[in-house]
Amino acid sequence: MFEGVYPALITPFKDNSERDLDLEGLSSNIEFLISRGVHGVVPCGSTGESATLTFEEHEVVISRTIEVVNGRVPVLAGTGSNNTSEALRFTKVAKDLGADGVLVLSPYYNKPNRSGLVKHYTKLADLDIPVIVYNVPGRTGQNLATDLIAELAKHPSIVGVKEASGDIVQMSRVIEDTADEDFSVISGDDAMSLPLLALGGSGVISVAANIMPEPMVAMYEKFKSGDLAGAKEIHYRMSPLFRSMFIETNPIPVKAASGILGMAAGPLRLPLDYMEDEKVSALKEVLSQYD
């Protein structure tokens, strides 16, 4: 259902004491991405600093994204929480606003048991909106086992998983175990995009595509058309950029890069903070390779 390159949108803030939302900047960034051929967008994910957004701000960002996109590409809204009631609230709002689906990270900090995870995702999926499970153990402290993903995939509204475990064997097993379901396995790591596509993955929810959507889209399209050599060339050309996006905690580098390239970005919200000058210099050096 969700295939191709989906930038995990940054959330631009104004450079004032309150770090207010920069909705005009958000709109401008979305228009730029759509003009460069992305297949969808993801507001209010980790890259969008969702953990620092109020409920009202979540609603505003998702609403503005849907308004600007205006049906041109799917909108997959981040609605996860470690509180099931809060995740239900976010997900209901996203559905009512017209999101095409929701991206739901596994509950962080709580480290729920298997039955809790099944009930958590089932309650959200029962709202009758397409759900992408988000497995990111580096942030949640808990890896979602392949057999659990396969069990969740049997729910008609749980249509995929964003895999950011970093374990290509695990990703392969999820594809194998869900082969009989209408289920997408999407990379949550730019560097894993092409390897996962080769195994039968559906695309990538991308950090790097915020600033360089065209090569990400081209890599995907070349692979889909059978031009593996062309896709590999782009993968290796983009690899320094992929690495640079994680010289600090995401989204610190991509927001810095967006500002350097003249896109709307603004400051981060605490507890995230600016990179040290030497890392900014290193990032600028990487970006200079793509002029």
Side-chain angles (χ1 to χ4, degrees):
M1 178 177 289
F2 299 102
E3 299 182 343
V5 177
Y6 280 60
L9 299 175
I10 63 170
T11 302
F13 298 127
K14 296 179 181 178
D15 194 6
N16 58 20
S17 60
E18 300 300 320
R19 303 296 198 243
D20 292 323
L21 295 175
D22 177 6
L23 295 178
E24 293 307 312
L26 175 66
S27 301
S28 174
N29 288 351
I30 292 169
E31 288 291 357
F32 164 71
L33 293 169
I34 291 177
S35 74
R36 298 314 192 266
V38 301
H39 303 94
V41 294
V42 182
C44 294
S46 304
T47 307
E49 297 178 75
S50 59
T52 67
L53 300 179
T54 66
F55 177 80
E56 292 75 19
E57 287 174 329
H58 268 87
E59 183 172 0
V60 168
V61 170
I62 293 169
S63 178
R64 174 58 71 95
T65 301
I66 291 169
E67 176 187 344
V68 173
V69 167
N70 194 26
R72 290 176 287 176
V73 297
V75 175
L76 185 61
T79 62
S81 171
N82 67 339
N83 177 322
T84 302
S85 294
E86 186 171 79
L88 282 165
R89 184 183 180 195
F90 285 143
T91 302
K92 285 176 183 175
V93 164
K95 179 182 177 181
D96 290 345
L97 288 171
D100 298 281
V102 292
L103 176 68
V104 183
L105 83 168
S106 61
Y108 48 90
Y109 189 76
N110 310 55
K111 301 180 78 170
N113 59 4
R114 185 187 180 98
S115 63
L117 286 165
V118 171
K119 289 176 182 177
H120 176 81
Y121 278 109
T122 299
K123 280 181 175 289
L124 299 174
D126 284 347
L127 293 174
D128 194 28
I129 184 171
V131 173
I132 300 288
V133 176
Y134 182 11
N135 184 31
V136 57
R139 288 187 181 267
T140 66
Q142 185 176 36
N143 184 51
L144 300 183
T146 55
D147 61 329
L148 171 63
I149 297 296
E151 179 180 347
L152 293 173
K154 296 183 183 302
H155 193 295
S157 291
I158 298 179
V159 299
V161 60
K162 176 185 175 183
E163 247 295 345
S165 67
D167 185 344
I168 197 70
V169 175
Q170 174 168 305
M171 299 176 203
S172 175
R173 182 62 186 268
V174 172
I175 293 170
E176 179 183 348
D177 289 351
T178 60
D180 294 332
E181 308 291 342
D182 185 10
F183 192 79
S184 300
V185 180
I186 304 167
S187 178
D189 181 342
D190 287 304
M192 287 283 191
S193 303
L194 185 56
L196 188 58
L197 284 170
L199 291 171
S202 301
V204 58
I205 295 176
S206 171
V207 174
N210 276 285
I211 54 174
M212 295 194 183
E214 289 170 287
M216 295 301 297
V217 170
M219 182 174 69
Y220 173 81
E221 298 291 357
K222 284 181 180 295
F223 177 84
K224 295 298 286 186
S225 69
D227 183 5
L228 180 57
K232 283 171 61 179
E233 187 276 328
I234 296 172
H235 167 85
Y236 285 114
R237 176 159 46 88
M238 294 292 287
S239 288
L241 181 69
F242 298 159
R243 292 190 292 270
S244 76
M245 293 295 95
F246 292 91
I247 58 175
E248 281 276 17
T249 303
N250 178 51
I252 297 173
V254 70
K255 286 200 89 169
S258 297
I260 291 166
L261 296 173
M263 300 175 63
L268 299 132
R269 281 184 175 173
L270 290 172
L272 300 182
D273 200 8
Y274 296 106
M275 289 194 297
E276 299 92 337
D277 289 344
E278 62 185 46
K279 289 185 177 179
V280 173
S281 296
L283 180 59
K284 288 180 177 178
E285 176 63 27
V286 172
L287 293 173
S288 72
Q289 300 175 30
Y290 300 97
D291 289 343

